[in-house]
């Protein structure tokens, strides 16, 4: 039962990284791919109907961790207090920016919210990468699960690599998504940018996986190469799907290497939090398993339907004239 | 103890701020779904315009509700990790359920509603509005179940020093939850009702376009407010009776009732200091025997006062905090079982007072606008707009009373429940440094302050813009009815 929930939480993180990965990427690339206001509106509209739903994957991942592994939730969140504060501020700013940017017709107003979207997307992406690599690579925690040492214990070489890994992935993923969802010049630009930055941007992810799992990183390298190859041949949809496969493989490698720990202690192996010593009681796990068993398929169906409803590519011609 | 104080301030600020958005969102989303239903059923353009106008204001507010809600979920782990470890087995379950069952629905169907105006068949689009507004209510239910469990733990057994869930059904049907839910939802409708009344009155006064829209909105708002208030009164009375049984100290503190009285009088207003031990000297205007009735449905029964409750609490839950370095200067010190009296006493009165003013205003507005009249004086819109603040204030004071009134406990013992299930707030905080908490307190409060100004500005702008400001722009091929 604990193992099932460990896998489910990994799946929730996968859903989050895959889905919000591209909407983070779109935010990060807003000034690069969107040259004027109309183009930026096209970009934001590609994620408009879905980004909020994507974000719920994070909320459920954290909520499920609280319910299934309170020890993990308590140790990780209290130890990474400052990075998480930064993350929350970035998410708040970015979230309201999407909604508020178009509500006043004034270039300075829009500019301010565009800056918020870009900064918020970058900061939030880096923080998510930091958070996940911290849980995989461990923290200096004592036998109570409390952090020992500085407030910046979560910020180290290997976790910063994790931060860059997800940021780099989100950049490419966002560009591929923009290519898939738009038409005309902006689509061409998105493809060009994705292909140009991919070799550099994806490097930290591969490095992180190599640190964690050695040659297994090769699998992800192959999938990512295939994604870029399909993009080169104008197969945006296949490229996007392969990007999804790449993050799925990465999550499998990262969480696979973590198991059966949930948060290793870098001080003493005996103090590591494991699925056994941080899990809730079997009854609680059973309750939330029932909820997840009925809830998750429904979520997949109606979120999938949303993507279907808004499946059409959009372009500058769809943006109302102001 | 610095970390404790900072963490409490942070929790108070983020929670009260979040709860400025929540009630308006809950109330307004159901009313908007209702307006859209009226439009789909009757085809009357007036209802379409109402849906668009109030829907726009809902969305401006919704965004803030969502982003400030995320903070709530994180701060249990960040600032209150000892609490999270203690209660995780129970408290996490309703939170996870909220996410899976309600929150996904809410955010997904909201996206569909915003962007789907021209893309979905009318009825499907309407169903999206209902899906997200009902999910908003479900969300409130799960959160209240979690909160009520802290007020009155049920459905558990003790296992290795921690409560362990034995019945999720007991947690979801906790009588504290069943009383808190209608009370909170009615509070949300009171907010939405006053919001409609105030803004519609202002537009009527200005003789804005679409008089029919404003008149219908005003009428709807007043009725919603009046009905909400009667539900508030009934459910509040129910809640009070439960509270006398479950948290007698909270209710004694709400009345600043020092000594046990039989029958006990209800204090309407106090002159003088309600702080302990001076509560003996308070001169208050009272209604004889009313408190006895509120507590037990009987005008002659005894209600226990603070001085008599303290020894009972000490006997049951200990006189001193345990000796533990994590408790800082509280370690080994006597436990003060009396919550801050000025906060509870005045919080309780302000909640009821502002609630009553709000309902009274609603009735008065209904009478003022009878037979399609509109008073011409400037005071009419002023009264309406000022009236918007009253249910917000009542809600905030209600929550401050509820949460401060349970101190020094974070998990309040259930007098007839499993022995040993309680937790002092002082034991619940994380092992963080004051600097970390202070940094996040400043950062979040600063962001909140900026956003409060922005939200107020936007709401004001769209209120002033009236109906023309919210009707959709169309692109040449009509592919997009809404664009950021």
């Amino acid at each position: 039962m604990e193992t099932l929930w460990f896998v489910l939480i990994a799946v929730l993180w996968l859903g989050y990284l895959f889905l919000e990965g591209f909407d983070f990427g779109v935010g990060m690339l807003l000034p690069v791919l969107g040259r004027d206001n109309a183009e930026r509106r096209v970009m934001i509209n590609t994620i408009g109907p879905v980004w909020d739903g994507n974000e719920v994957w994070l909320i459920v991942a954290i909520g499920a961790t609280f319910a299934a592994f309170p020890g993990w939730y308590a140790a990780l969140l209290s130890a990474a207090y400052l990075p998480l504060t930064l993350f929350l501020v970035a998410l708040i700013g970015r979230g309201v920016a999407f909604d508020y940017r178009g509500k006043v017709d004034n270039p300075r107003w829009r500019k301010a919210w565009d800056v918020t979207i870009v900064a918020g997307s970058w900061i939030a992406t880096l923080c998510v990468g930091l958070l996940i690599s911290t849980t995989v690579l461990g923290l200096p925690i004592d036998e109570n699960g409390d952090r020992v040492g500085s407030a910046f214990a979560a910020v180290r070489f290997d976790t910063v690599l994790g931060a860059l890994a997800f940021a780099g992935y989100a950049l490419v993923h966002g560009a591929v998504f923009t290519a898939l969802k738009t038409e005309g010049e902006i689509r061409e630009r998105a493809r060009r940018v994705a292909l140009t930055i991919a070799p550099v941007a994806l490097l930290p992810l591969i490095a992180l996986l190599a640190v964690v799992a050695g040659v297994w990183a090769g699998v992800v390298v192959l999938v990512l190469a295939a994604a870029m190859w399909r993009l080169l041949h104008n197969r945006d949809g296949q490229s996007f799907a392969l990007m999804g496969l790449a993050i799925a493989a990465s999550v499998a490698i990262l969480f696979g290497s973590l198991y059966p720990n949930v948060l290793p202690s870098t001080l003493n192996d005996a103090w590591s939090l494991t699925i056994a010593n941080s899990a809730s009681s079997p009854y609680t796990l059973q309750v939330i398993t029932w909820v997840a068993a009925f809830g998750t398929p429904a979520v997949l169906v109606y979120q999938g339907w949303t993507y279907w409803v808004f499946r059409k590519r959009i372009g500058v011609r769809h943006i109302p004239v102001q | 103890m610095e970390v404790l104080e900072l963490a409490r301030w942070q929790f108070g600020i983020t929670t009260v701020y979040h709860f400025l958005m929540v009630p308006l969102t809950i109330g307004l989303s159901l009313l908007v779904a209702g307006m859209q239903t009226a439009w789909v059923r009757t085809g009357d353009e007036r209802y379409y315009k109402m849906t668009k106008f109030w829907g726009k204001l809902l969305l401006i507010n919704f965004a803030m509700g969502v982003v400030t809600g995320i903070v709530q979920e994180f701060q249990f782990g960040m600032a209150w990790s000892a609490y999270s470890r203690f209660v995780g087995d129970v408290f996490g379950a309703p939170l996870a359920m909220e996410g899976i069952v309600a929150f996904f629905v809410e955010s997904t169907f909201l996206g569909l509603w915003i962007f789907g105006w021209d893309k979905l068949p009318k009825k499907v689009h309407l169903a999206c509005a209902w899906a997200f507004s009902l999910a908003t209510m479900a969300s409130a239910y799960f959160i209240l179940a979690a909160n009520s469990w802290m007020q009155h733990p049920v459905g558990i057994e003790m296992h290795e020093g921690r409560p362990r869930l034995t019945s999720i059904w007991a947690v979801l049907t906790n009588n504290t939850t069943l009383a808190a839910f209608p009370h909170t939802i009615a509070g949300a409708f009171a907010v939405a009702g006053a919001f409609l009344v105030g803004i519609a009155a202002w537009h009527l006064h200005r003789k804005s376009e679409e008089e029919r829209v404003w008149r219908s909105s005003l009428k709807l708002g007043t009725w919603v407010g009046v009905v909400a208030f009667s539900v508030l009164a009934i459910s509040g009375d129910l809640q009070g009776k439960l509270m006398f049984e479950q948290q007698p100290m909270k209710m004694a503190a709400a009345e600043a009732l020092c000594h046990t009285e039989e029958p006990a009088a209800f204090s309407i207003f106090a002159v003088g200091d309600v702080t302990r031990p001076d509560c003996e000297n308070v001169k208050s205007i009272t209604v004889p025997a009313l408190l006895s009735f509120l507590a037990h449905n009987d005008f002659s029964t005894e209600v226990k006062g603070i001085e008599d409750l303290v020894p009972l609490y000490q006997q049951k839950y200990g006189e001193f905090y345990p000796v533990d370095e994590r408790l800082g200067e509280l370690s080994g010190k006597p436990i003060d079982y009396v919550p801050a009296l000025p906060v509870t006493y005045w919080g309780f009165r302000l909640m009821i007072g502002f609630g009553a003013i709000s309902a009274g205003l609603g009735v008065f507005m209904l009478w003022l606008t009878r037979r399609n009249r509109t008073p011409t004086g400037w005071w009419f819109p002023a009264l309406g707009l000022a009236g918007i603040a009253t249910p917000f204030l009542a809600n905030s004071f209600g929550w401050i009373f509820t949460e401060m009134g349970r101190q020094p406990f974070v998990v309040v013992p259930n007098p007839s429940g499993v022995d040993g299930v309680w937790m002092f707030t002082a034991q619940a905080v994380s092992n963080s440094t004051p600097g970390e908490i202070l940094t996040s307190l400043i950062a979040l409060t600063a962001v909140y302050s900026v956003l409060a100004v922005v939200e107020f500005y936007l709401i004001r702008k769209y209120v002033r813009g009236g109906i023309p400001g919210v009707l959709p722009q169309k692109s040449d091929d009509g592919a997009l009815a809404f664009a950021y």
Side-chain angles (χ1 to χ4, degrees):
Chain A
M1 205 68 149
E2 290 93 346
T3 303
L4 174 70
W5 271 92
F6 180 81
V7 173
L8 269 175
I9 287 169
V11 169
L12 288 166
W13 277 112
L14 167 61
Y16 182 66
L17 296 177
F18 173 62
L19 295 171
E20 189 135 276
F22 71 71
D23 73 53
F24 276 148
V26 168
M28 293 157 85
L29 290 167
L30 194 60
V32 181
L33 297 180
R35 296 280 163 83
D36 57 28
N37 183 42
E39 288 186 353
R40 284 194 283 273
R41 290 182 70 175
V42 169
M43 289 187 66
I44 298 174
N45 275 297
T46 61
I47 55 170
V50 295
W51 73 266
D52 195 8
N54 295 347
E55 197 157 285
V56 177
W57 286 83
L58 168 78
I59 293 170
V60 175
I62 298 289
T65 308
F66 195 173
F69 301 101
W72 180 10
Y73 168 85
L76 180 65
L77 268 62
S78 62
Y81 207 114
L82 289 181
L84 279 169
T85 304
L86 189 65
F87 178 49
L88 291 173
V89 169
L91 278 187
I92 292 173
R94 190 181 108 97
V96 293
F98 284 134
D99 191 28
Y100 289 175
R101 133 178 237 288
K103 293 235 172 353
V104 176
D105 188 14
N106 171 325
R108 278 177 55 199
W109 170 271
R110 273 196 298 271
K111 176 89 190 153
W113 290 115
D114 284 350
V115 170
T116 314
I117 291 174
V118 177
S121 300
W122 273 97
I123 295 170
T125 313
L126 290 165
C127 291
V128 170
L130 188 81
L131 192 67
I132 292 186
S133 50
T134 300
T135 202
V136 172
L137 298 162
L139 272 168
I141 51 173
D142 63 17
E143 68 266 48
N144 300 320
D146 284 327
R147 186 193 69 215
V148 177
S150 114
F152 297 98
V155 186
R156 308 185 303 256
F157 171 74
D158 50 359
T159 56
V160 169
L161 188 62
L164 293 174
F166 183 54
Y169 171 79
L171 268 179
V172 178
H173 192 39
V176 172
F177 177 78
T178 310
L180 174 67
K181 290 294 294 178
T182 57
E183 58 183 30
E185 206 188 318
I186 187 163
R187 177 184 170 211
E188 284 311 311
R189 198 179 299 139
R191 289 185 57 235
R192 253 196 333 271
V193 166
L195 291 166
T196 318
I197 61 172
V200 181
L202 296 173
L203 216 53
L205 176 64
I206 294 157
L208 175 75
L209 294 173
V211 167
V212 171
V215 289
W216 282 101
V219 176
V220 178
V221 176
L222 289 178
V223 179
L224 288 169
M228 289 306 108
W229 175 62
R230 293 322 290 159
L231 189 67
L232 193 65
H233 290 85
N234 269 318
R235 306 305 295 262
D236 308 338
Q238 291 180 11
S239 174
F240 183 68
L242 284 164
M243 288 300 287
L245 188 61
I247 196 73
S250 307
V251 168
I253 289 174
L254 290 174
F255 279 81
S257 79
L258 178 61
Y259 185 84
N261 284 335
V262 290
L263 183 63
S265 169
T266 52
L267 301 176
N268 183 338
D269 279 344
W271 296 342
S272 292
L273 295 178
T274 64
I275 58 164
N277 69 18
S278 69
S280 288
S281 65
Y283 175 76
T284 301
L285 293 177
Q286 200 185 326
V287 166
I288 55 177
T289 303
W290 278 107
V291 176
F294 285 100
T296 320
V299 172
L300 292 175
V301 168
Y302 60 68
Q303 283 209 342
W305 180 58
T306 308
Y307 284 90
W308 175 253
V309 169
F310 301 106
R311 67 192 174 281
K312 278 196 185 135
R313 288 179 184 268
I314 59 173
V316 177
R317 69 192 169 94
H318 299 109
I319 298 297
V321 189
Q322 283 191 320
Chain B
M1 193 180 167
E2 227 183 331
V3 170
L4 176 63
E5 291 309 311
L6 288 167
R8 287 184 66 188
W9 272 107
Q10 167 159 295
F11 195 89
I13 291 172
T14 52
T15 308
V16 168
Y17 190 75
H18 176 58
F19 209 75
L20 291 177
M21 324 298 160
V22 171
L24 183 59
T25 301
I26 296 175
L28 214 48
S29 59
L30 268 119
L31 292 181
V32 168
M35 293 168 189
Q36 193 175 342
T37 308
W39 172 57
V40 170
R41 289 187 64 121
T42 64
D44 187 337
E45 279 293 294
R46 160 176 46 164
Y47 297 123
Y48 171 74
K49 286 168 182 163
M50 277 170 81
T51 310
K52 278 288 187 184
F53 180 78
W54 298 108
K56 187 72 127 190
L57 298 183
L58 165 68
L59 294 181
I60 292 170
N61 189 67
F62 198 98
M64 289 282 280
V66 170
V67 295
T68 54
I70 299 177
V71 179
Q72 306 300 315
E73 191 198 32
F74 278 78
Q75 70 178 341
F76 295 113
M78 288 164 73
W80 304 94
S81 61
Y83 167 79
S84 306
R85 283 192 191 103
F86 182 66
V87 303
D89 199 84
V90 193
F91 189 81
L95 285 192
M97 290 167 120
E98 188 220 7
I100 298 170
V101 178
F103 213 48
F104 266 127
V105 179
E106 217 173 295
S107 53
T108 310
F109 285 93
L110 182 73
L112 279 160
W113 189 72
I114 301 174
F115 285 86
W117 276 94
D118 287 346
K119 286 203 158 58
L120 295 170
K122 243 184 189 178
K123 286 193 174 152
V124 176
H125 185 248
L126 175 64
C128 292
W130 279 106
F132 86 71
S133 52
L134 291 175
T136 311
M137 289 244 271
S139 206
Y141 191 84
F142 289 117
I143 292 304
L144 286 171
N147 180 273
S148 299
W149 188 86
M150 297 163 80
Q151 310 277 355
H152 187 63
V154 293
I156 37 175
E157 63 183 13
M158 277 309 261
H159 182 79
E160 290 171 0
R162 278 179 203 175
R164 200 162 80 165
L165 187 63
T166 54
S167 165
I168 186 69
W169 187 244
V171 171
L172 294 178
T173 58
N174 191 348
N175 53 11
T176 319
T177 314
L178 297 181
F181 182 66
H183 198 66
T184 313
I185 294 296
F189 276 104
V191 165
F195 193 72
L196 258 63
V197 171
I199 291 168
W202 186 78
H203 274 293
L204 279 178
H205 175 75
R206 293 229 318 182
K207 305 209 180 334
S208 306
E209 288 175 46
E210 310 287 351
E211 195 201 336
R212 279 178 357 119
V213 165
W214 305 122
R215 218 164 267 291
S216 298
S217 300
L218 187 126
K219 206 165 276 174
L220 176 65
T222 48
W223 280 112
V224 165
V226 169
V227 172
F229 187 74
S230 28
V231 177
L232 278 168
I234 297 166
S235 59
D237 180 51
L238 262 167
Q239 254 189 317
K241 286 186 173 49
L242 281 177
M243 213 71 75
F244 276 108
E245 190 186 303
Q246 299 172 351
Q247 299 181 43
M249 184 62 90
K250 182 192 273 185
M251 293 315 282
E255 288 297 313
L257 183 71
C258 260
H259 303 291
T260 302
E261 289 182 16
E262 186 187 346
F266 178 81
S267 164
I268 294 178
F269 197 84
V271 183
D273 207 349
V274 287
T275 42
R276 215 167 52 113
D278 290 338
C279 72
E280 334 242 332
N281 306 323
V282 175
K283 309 263 175 296
S284 78
I285 304 161
T286 57
V287 182
L290 182 58
L291 190 61
S292 292
F293 180 77
L294 289 180
H296 309 295
N297 257 342
D298 179 342
F299 284 102
S300 59
T301 48
E302 170 194 270
V303 177
K304 284 227 183 304
I306 293 166
E307 299 301 328
D308 299 301
L309 284 169
V310 168
L312 292 179
Y313 273 75
Q314 285 175 338
Q315 192 194 335
K316 272 180 123 165
Y317 313 118
E319 278 185 60
F320 301 98
Y321 281 109
V323 179
D324 179 350
E325 59 168 314
R326 291 187 58 168
L327 286 172
E329 57 194 38
L330 286 177
S331 168
K333 290 276 164 58
I335 302 165
D336 184 4
Y337 283 103
V338 186
L341 288 189
V343 178
T344 50
Y345 180 85
W346 287 112
F348 192 56
R349 257 134 218 92
L350 290 168
M351 168 184 77
I352 297 176
F354 279 117
I357 292 173
S358 165
L361 260 177
V363 175
F364 186 49
M365 290 304 236
L366 201 60
W367 179 76
L368 284 172
T369 53
R370 68 197 182 281
R371 278 182 242 115
N372 288 345
R373 289 181 206 190
T374 310
T376 48
W378 62 269
W379 54 267
F380 171 65
L383 202 61
L385 291 174
I388 295 177
T390 52
F392 276 107
L393 289 167
N395 274 328
S396 297
F397 285 118
W399 272 112
I400 290 170
F401 163 65
T402 296
E403 302 299 287
M404 293 287 284
R406 73 176 140 96
Q407 302 303 327
F409 294 105
V410 61
V411 178
V412 186
N414 176 349
S416 56
V418 181
D419 269 347
V421 183
W422 71 80
M423 187 180 216
F424 293 109
T425 309
Q427 299 172 306
V429 283
S430 291
N431 186 31
S432 307
T433 57
E436 285 171 276
I437 305 188
L438 188 62
T439 309
S440 73
L441 175 64
I442 293 172
L444 289 171
T445 310
V447 171
Y448 285 173
S449 315
V450 172
L451 291 182
V453 175
V454 173
E455 192 191 346
F456 184 76
Y457 165 76
L458 279 177
I459 288 192
R460 185 167 159 274
K461 176 185 146 72
Y462 276 94
V463 165
R464 282 173 169 268
I467 301 298
V470 295
L471 295 180
Q473 312 156 303
K474 281 259 162 81
S475 59
D476 44 5
D477 65 353
L480 209 66
F482 179 89
Y484 279 120

